[in-house]
Amino acid sequence: MQQQQPSTTTNRRTIQPINPTTTNLKPSSTTTTSNPHHQQPSQHYVQQKQQQQHATPVNNTTNHTTTPEDKKRKKKKQKKSYESLLQDEEDETLNEETKKSQELLIQAIFSQRSAIQFDHSKLNLKPDHKIRPVWVCEGPEKKFHIFMETFSPIYQSAYDFLVAVAEPVSRPENLHEYVLTEYSLYAAVSIGMDTEQIIEKLDTLSKVTLSDAVKGFIKDVTKKYGNVKLVLQKNRFFVESPSRDILRKIYDDKIIAAAAILPDPKEFTIDKESHGKFVIRTRTKVHQVEKFQKQAQYQAITTGIGETNNNLIRTVNQVEDDDEDDDLDLNLNNIETLYSFEIQASQVEHVKKQCIVLGHPTLEEYDFRNDTANKTLNIDLKPTTTIRSYQEKSLSKMFSNGRARSGIIVLPCGAGKTLVGVTAGCTVKKHTLVLCINNVSVFQWKNQFKLWSTIDESRVVVFTSAHKDPLPKDEDPIIIITSYTMLTHKGNRSGEAKLIMDYIQSREWGLLILDEVHVVPANMFRKVASVKSHCKLGLTATLLREDNRTDDLYFLIGPKLYEANWLDLQQKGHLANVQCVEVWCPMTAEFYSEYLTANAKKKTLLYVMNPNKFRACEFLIRYHEKQGDKIIIFSDNVFALQQYAERLRLPYIYGDTKERERLLILEEFRKAGGKFSSVFISKVGDTAIDIPEATVIIQISSHFGSRRQEAQRLGRILRPKGGGAKNQQAYFYTLVSQDTQEMYYSTKRQQFLINQGYSFRVLPDIKQYYEQGIKELGIEILNLRDKKEELQVLEQVKKADDARGQEEKIKDDDNEVNSGSSSSLTALSGGQDVIYNSFDPNNVTTSRRRKKAASMNNTTVHPLFRTRN
């Protein structure tokens, strides 16, 4: 029998209703005819009747004459008995049929998520499977899924191992789902694990015996990694390998050959067997077994676990020690021969991508402690700086073997990503370049370096269009903090800006820190990967993009080194407890009548300006203000932002708000007894806004189905709150107009947070709380109290230009060097190519539209509008 793997997603709308006319519910195999009432009697019934006939005694002493009435009564009794037995058999058959129908129904439900249907019949449970927390299953398309029980005593150790070797898919409270991918295994090898370690530890944790297919996949992938390195020497990039054959295979590729530079015999020792293409050099293997400060220690729970579980903990924790012991056994004077060839700096991205295609991804490590060519930066962490356990664990993945590995660290919003970057800079102690998403982040990073480290302020240079710190006159290392826009600008620059850019391009940077690294795959920012740096560290809370370009980060930056679990940090008090609520707001009759006939842009205005949504927003604001909360109201639509804020007499911030006005509003908002405790903010507040005082978010308008935006906005209230247990609770409200497209977008947006373990409570009728609020708290709704006011708002919406229904276009912070240009956070996060509206390619009248239709046919259709089977 085929068993179904339980779904790990708790979304209320994930499971669609099953149509009985299309669902394949096969009849039970025990049924012989289509009509159960026409079944033949069973063999059991025939045998029973024969036994009854043989067992009936014959009375020869009494000569009883059978009357017609007796015969009729006997025949009726026999018929009743026959029907009774037949009915019993029929009930039994129907029970079997019902069971199979139920199984097929469940199968049909789970088949809607095609990646979770598995055949478990061939899995062999181990005798002690109850104490092991992991299931390893092979799914469709040869994908290997891992399910972990979080209530296991060795959960923490198992999680640290799995997050290093597999990609998290869904992490609710009791059961996590992961998937083994090539990139995740590359990441495991990059932090020091080898093939045998991965297989051994996975087998130790698994409830079932690992299949040959799983072991074969791990071996095939891991043996490719580490044979090729990308090395930066004297401000020039080299592809390096200890194997001449592997390097020749790479060089033979047309793309890589076009990027290669022939070596100069006067400068290098040429490898003759490569016909002058490769440089040959030898080096002495020096094995350092230092670790970053100290490795994060796991706490083994010994009470009530037993010796077997203790062995499991010890095995899982032994992630890197084996490698170090092997290093100590080697001869320190062993000579190693290396082959390499130089590549153009502008072609680094393409070379790294092509190496992955050829099956030999490049490894980037920086032996910063032995780098004598670059001066050391005078920087250390302050003695008062405390690093949390998960921050230390993430850094240990980066520095575990005494070298700095390039890669990405994923931590939730409010979990201290900036401190991780500062600590990495204090460890490398070389020239450091920090790239941020906007100017606000630039100054926040500068303040964080001053707060947590001993760096001299004169060694921290800020580079924006409006503020350019002078460069030091000496050649000692510095830290430059700038934005992606400033670095990638292609137009003319001022003399001062050109001087700093020349400095950046002429230096060999020890560490490149990329904040909000998920924006790097955007076309306008990709070239930052070609900055000449020994080590790249990407930081983000949401490693996802709507255009599915996340995989590009693996060759632009490096593999994912560590990813923290949101719920774990919340349970440990590092993040605030958050209740997520979706409030359904019925459309009024007049607004819905207009909605049904309006165009797409006007529809957006109608469902955002829904009077019931306005009243719900006002009620929530009044209620939480009574509780002493600080409230942020988000709206992507500027028309709605201004209308809501002006009617409620509250301040608002959007793209055109002057910087000074922004600062004054936020400063007043942060005050304990400020003039207001609620503020309206457009999408400019999605990132790089630090308001730890905020405890409530109300979302009245958003960017379609952007999962990243949902997570970023939640992050505004994730910081732990001060002031006792009363203020430790945060609230995240999403107001949705019923029976509109907004409900579809809401489901899509919530998927990322649901996969992180958050659950959304649906509030279908908020009106019932209005009266309670009026009686108990004295809350009064002052706006849109009658039909006349609603119709006035409707007239405003109808008269508004259709363009007011579009998303806000945010001007670049650095608009002094980008005159006339503007960018969208949607574009930076990969949402600009996602199709959100249905399109009929057959209904095309012009050649221009036909071309658009052809291009859209090649575009990935948004999952909400895919045809469901």
Side-chain angles (χ1 to χ4, degrees):
M1 183 181 71
Q2 197 177 43
Q3 298 179 357
Q4 302 300 322
Q5 179 60 43
S7 172
T8 58
T9 302
T10 58
N11 193 339
R12 65 199 178 285
R13 290 192 289 270
T14 299
I15 299 176
Q16 302 293 333
I18 303 301
N19 187 347
T21 61
T22 58
T23 305
N24 184 20
L25 299 180
K26 298 180 180 179
S28 172
S29 60
T30 59
T31 304
T32 57
T33 62
S34 60
N35 189 346
H37 293 286
H38 292 168
Q39 299 177 64
Q40 299 297 325
S42 66
Q43 186 69 24
H44 171 75
Y45 169 76
V46 175
Q47 293 176 355
Q48 186 176 13
K49 291 298 292 181
Q50 291 176 349
Q51 292 174 359
Q52 289 177 352
Q53 291 175 359
H54 289 298
T56 302
V58 180
N59 188 356
N60 294 325
T61 59
T62 306
N63 187 11
H64 178 70
T65 305
T66 304
T67 63
E69 290 77 8
D70 293 337
K71 290 181 179 181
K72 190 175 181 179
R73 193 183 300 110
K74 184 177 180 181
K75 186 176 181 180
K76 186 177 181 180
K77 185 177 180 181
Q78 288 177 348
K79 184 178 180 180
K80 184 177 181 181
S81 178
Y82 175 87
E83 290 179 350
S84 177
L85 289 171
L86 186 61
Q87 185 63 40
D88 292 342
E89 183 68 20
E90 179 184 334
D91 291 342
E92 184 178 346
T93 303
L94 287 175
N95 287 336
E96 289 295 325
E97 187 175 342
T98 301
K99 290 179 181 179
K100 288 187 175 293
S101 298
Q102 291 173 348
E103 291 174 2
L104 290 170
L105 180 62
I106 294 173
Q107 184 182 51
I109 292 173
F110 283 117
S111 65
Q112 293 181 67
R113 184 179 171 196
S114 58
I116 65 169
Q117 190 175 358
F118 305 114
D119 181 6
H120 292 260
S121 59
K122 296 181 181 179
L123 296 180
N124 297 319
L125 280 172
K126 296 177 181 178
D128 56 350
H129 64 87
K130 291 184 179 180
I131 65 171
R132 301 176 189 267
V134 166
W135 297 81
V136 182
C137 314
E138 182 177 354
E141 301 177 0
K142 299 296 182 182
K143 289 186 178 179
F144 300 101
H145 290 249
I146 301 174
F147 299 89
M148 180 177 65
E149 300 167 350
T150 62
F151 45 84
S152 168
I154 59 169
Y155 157 73
Q156 191 60 55
S157 298
Y159 172 80
D160 292 333
F161 169 71
L162 288 181
V163 79
V165 302
E167 192 71 29
V169 176
S170 180
R171 290 178 289 184
E173 186 174 358
N174 295 317
L175 190 69
H176 289 188
E177 180 185 356
Y178 303 82
V179 61
L180 280 176
T181 66
E182 290 190 1
Y183 288 123
S184 67
L185 289 172
Y186 290 157
V189 176
S190 73
I191 63 174
M193 296 186 186
D194 58 31
T195 305
E196 288 72 22
Q197 283 180 326
I198 296 172
I199 294 176
E200 177 189 355
K201 292 169 178 56
L202 189 59
D203 184 57
T204 302
L205 294 170
S206 177
K207 293 174 176 289
V208 298
T209 305
L210 295 185
S211 65
D212 293 337
V214 176
K215 295 178 181 178
F217 176 73
I218 295 173
K219 290 177 181 178
D220 291 341
V221 173
T222 54
K223 71 180 182 181
K224 302 175 185 177
Y225 198 76
N227 294 321
V228 179
K229 293 184 178 181
L230 184 66
V231 182
L232 180 63
Q233 293 177 353
K234 297 180 180 179
N235 218 17
R236 297 154 73 177
F237 288 100
F238 291 84
V239 178
E240 183 181 85
S241 175
S243 170
R244 184 190 291 115
D245 293 337
I246 292 177
L247 205 64
R248 186 180 289 116
K249 174 185 174 182
I250 292 174
Y251 195 95
D252 289 342
D253 182 82
K254 294 181 180 179
I255 296 177
I256 295 179
I261 300 174
L262 290 176
D264 184 357
K266 297 179 180 179
E267 185 179 3
F268 301 101
T269 303
I270 306 300
D271 177 34
K272 296 180 181 179
E273 295 189 22
S274 65
H275 305 288
K277 298 177 181 177
F278 299 160
V279 174
I280 186 172
R281 68 185 182 93
T282 59
R283 72 174 183 184
T284 301
K285 291 184 179 179
V286 179
H287 297 276
Q288 294 189 8
V289 294
E290 300 172 273
K291 292 188 177 181
F292 166 73
Q293 294 180 353
K294 63 176 183 178
Q295 289 284 9
Q297 300 296 322
Y298 303 110
Q299 295 181 352
I301 305 174
T302 57
T303 306
I305 298 178
E307 184 62 26
T308 306
N309 276 4
N310 289 333
N311 291 336
L312 284 175
I313 295 173
R314 285 193 292 270
T315 302
V316 176
N317 290 347
Q318 189 79 13
V319 173
E320 293 158 351
D321 293 345
D322 295 343
D323 280 346
E324 296 175 357
D325 293 340
D326 294 340
D327 289 345
L328 289 174
D329 293 337
L330 294 171
N331 182 2
L332 296 181
N333 296 320
N334 189 19
I335 303 299
E336 183 180 25
T337 302
L338 298 172
Y339 306 90
S340 63
F341 62 87
E342 186 180 356
I343 60 172
Q344 303 171 32
S346 60
Q347 299 299 313
V348 168
E349 172 192 340
H350 304 293
V351 171
K352 292 172 68 177
K353 182 178 182 179
Q354 200 62 18
C355 285
I356 293 177
V357 173
L358 296 173
H360 295 284
T362 57
L363 174 66
E364 292 185 67
E365 287 187 340
Y366 178 33
D367 190 5
F368 56 92
R369 288 187 174 92
N370 292 324
D371 181 11
T372 57
N374 295 289
K375 294 183 178 180
T376 300
L377 177 65
N378 185 18
I379 184 174
D380 279 299
L381 289 177
K382 289 181 179 179
T384 55
T385 301
T386 303
I387 302 177
R388 295 173 179 169
S389 59
Y390 62 89
Q391 294 170 325
E392 186 176 11
K393 194 175 297 181
S394 66
L395 287 162
S396 71
K397 303 297 182 183
M398 182 179 179
F399 296 101
S400 60
N401 66 345
R403 299 180 179 88
R405 297 185 176 101
S406 294
I408 300 168
I409 292 176
V410 184
L411 296 176
C413 300
K417 295 185 295 294
T418 309
L419 179 55
V420 171
V422 171
T423 307
C426 294
T427 306
V428 174
K429 299 180 187 294
K430 301 293 181 182
H431 271 99
T432 301
L433 178 62
V434 182
L435 299 182
C436 308
I437 197 170
N438 54 32
N439 289 351
V440 176
S441 293
V442 169
F443 288 99
Q444 286 180 356
W445 270 89
K446 180 178 181 179
N447 292 334
Q448 292 294 302
F449 267 103
K450 292 164 56 180
L451 176 64
W452 302 115
S453 73
T454 59
I455 187 72
D456 188 336
E457 187 172 356
S458 63
R459 311 309 298 181
V460 181
V461 176
V462 168
F463 177 39
T464 67
S465 61
H467 188 96
K468 301 175 183 66
D469 290 335
L471 292 170
K473 296 181 180 180
D474 55 48
E475 290 297 320
D476 290 338
I478 62 173
I479 297 173
I480 292 183
I481 308 175
T482 185
S483 66
Y484 291 100
T485 307
M486 286 296 294
L487 193 68
T488 57
H489 174 61
K490 298 179 181 179
N492 295 328
R493 298 180 183 270
S494 64
E496 194 176 6
K498 191 175 185 303
L499 183 66
I500 298 178
M501 280 303 302
D502 291 341
Y503 184 92
I504 292 174
Q505 293 172 354
S506 63
R507 287 295 182 275
E508 192 173 295
W509 296 90
L511 179 63
L512 172 63
I513 299 176
L514 302 106
D515 192 22
E516 305 293 349
V517 72
H518 58 268
V519 306
V520 171
N523 294 332
M524 62 187 297
F525 291 158
R526 292 176 77 92
K527 76 174 190 178
V528 301
S530 61
V531 172
K532 296 172 182 177
S533 61
H534 288 280
C535 179
K536 302 180 184 69
L537 173 62
L539 299 170
T540 185
T542 52
L543 192 60
L544 55 86
R545 291 178 59 87
E546 303 302 331
D547 58 2
N548 297 321
R549 281 188 177 182
T550 307
D551 289 348
D552 291 2
L553 290 170
Y554 288 99
F555 60 81
L556 289 171
I557 308 301
K560 182 171 62 178
L561 302 175
Y562 182 77
E563 180 174 358
N565 185 8
W566 293 45
L567 284 190
D568 283 353
L569 300 188
Q570 178 179 296
Q571 292 169 0
K572 294 176 181 178
H574 300 310
L575 299 177
N577 294 319
V578 180
Q579 284 192 12
C580 302
V581 182
E582 182 177 294
V583 181
W584 289 359
C585 307
M587 291 279 283
T588 62
E590 294 78 13
F591 270 73
Y592 197 63
S593 177
E594 289 291 332
Y595 174 84
L596 293 175
T597 58
N599 59 43
K601 295 176 183 177
K602 189 70 75 177
K603 282 182 176 181
T604 301
L605 287 178
L606 287 166
Y607 65 61
V608 175
M609 293 300 298
N610 176 13
N612 285 325
K613 178 184 284 192
F614 189 99
R615 284 189 285 266
C617 179
E618 183 178 1
F619 171 77
L620 291 173
I621 291 173
R622 305 301 183 209
Y623 172 79
H624 282 287
E625 284 180 342
K626 289 278 187 180
Q627 306 299 317
D629 291 315
K630 295 285 187 179
I631 308 153
I632 299 176
I633 304 97
F634 276 108
S635 174
D636 273 31
N637 186 273
V638 177
F639 177 82
L641 182 83
Q642 294 171 334
Q643 290 290 327
Y644 274 67
E646 289 171 1
R647 285 181 175 271
L648 295 172
R649 298 181 180 181
L650 291 171
Y652 60 90
I653 298 172
Y654 69 114
D656 290 341
T657 305
K658 300 297 183 182
E659 185 69 24
R660 178 176 176 80
E661 186 180 353
R662 289 189 196 187
L663 296 176
L664 290 174
I665 292 174
L666 293 178
E667 183 181 356
E668 190 66 28
F669 177 77
R670 292 188 180 102
K671 290 181 181 178
K675 297 178 181 179
F676 51 85
S677 56
S678 301
V679 60
F680 282 81
I681 302 180
S682 73
K683 64 165 62 177
V684 297
D686 288 352
T687 57
I689 179 173
D690 188 17
I691 313 179
E693 295 82 4
T695 54
V696 177
I697 282 180
I698 302 173
Q699 191 172 222
I700 59 174
S701 171
S702 55
H703 173 70
F704 300 106
S706 174
R707 299 164 295 168
R708 179 205 58 80
Q709 187 185 60
E710 192 88 349
Q712 291 283 3
R713 287 182 173 176
L714 178 70
R716 303 309 102 200
I717 54 174
L718 279 182
R719 293 186 183 275
K721 315 302 175 188
K726 178 182 177 181
N727 295 323
Q728 290 300 318
Q729 184 67 53
Y731 299 89
F732 183 76
Y733 295 97
T734 300
L735 308 187
V736 181
S737 293
Q738 278 186 272
D739 303 318
T740 67
Q741 284 182 321
E742 201 173 23
M743 295 195 73
Y744 292 98
Y745 300 143
S746 178
T747 302
K748 173 70 163 56
R749 291 169 61 83
Q750 295 169 5
Q751 195 58 52
F752 176 78
L753 294 178
I754 289 172
N755 287 340
Q756 302 305 315
Y758 289 93
S759 60
F760 278 78
R761 175 191 172 193
V762 175
L763 199 61
D765 184 14
I766 195 174
K767 291 183 180 179
Q768 60 180 323
Y769 297 97
Y770 293 172
E771 295 182 2
Q772 181 182 355
I774 293 173
K775 292 179 182 179
E776 298 181 4
L777 300 175
I779 297 173
E780 185 177 0
I781 298 177
L782 303 176
N783 293 275
L784 304 184
R785 292 185 293 183
D786 53 38
K787 187 66 67 177
K788 182 179 179 181
E789 290 186 75
E790 293 181 8
L791 294 177
Q792 289 176 353
V793 174
L794 179 59
E795 286 302 316
Q796 288 180 332
V797 173
K798 290 168 66 176
K799 291 178 181 179
D801 186 9
D802 287 349
R804 304 300 299 270
Q806 293 179 326
E807 66 170 295
E808 179 186 17
K809 299 294 183 182
I810 301 176
K811 295 181 180 179
D812 291 335
D813 288 330
D814 303 304
N815 52 13
E816 292 182 7
V817 297
N818 292 280
S819 58
S821 67
S822 64
S823 64
S824 164
L825 291 179
T826 306
L828 301 184
S829 61
Q832 76 280 11
D833 293 327
V834 179
I835 299 174
Y836 288 102
N837 295 314
S838 59
F839 182 78
D840 184 5
N842 298 320
N843 186 19
V844 179
T845 57
T846 65
S847 60
R848 185 176 179 182
R849 290 185 179 181
R850 279 194 293 272
K851 291 179 180 179
K852 182 178 180 181
S855 65
M856 292 181 79
N857 286 336
N858 296 326
T859 308
T860 302
V861 179
H862 193 283
L864 291 173
F865 299 99
R866 288 176 183 164
T867 302
R868 298 178 185 268
N869 295 326

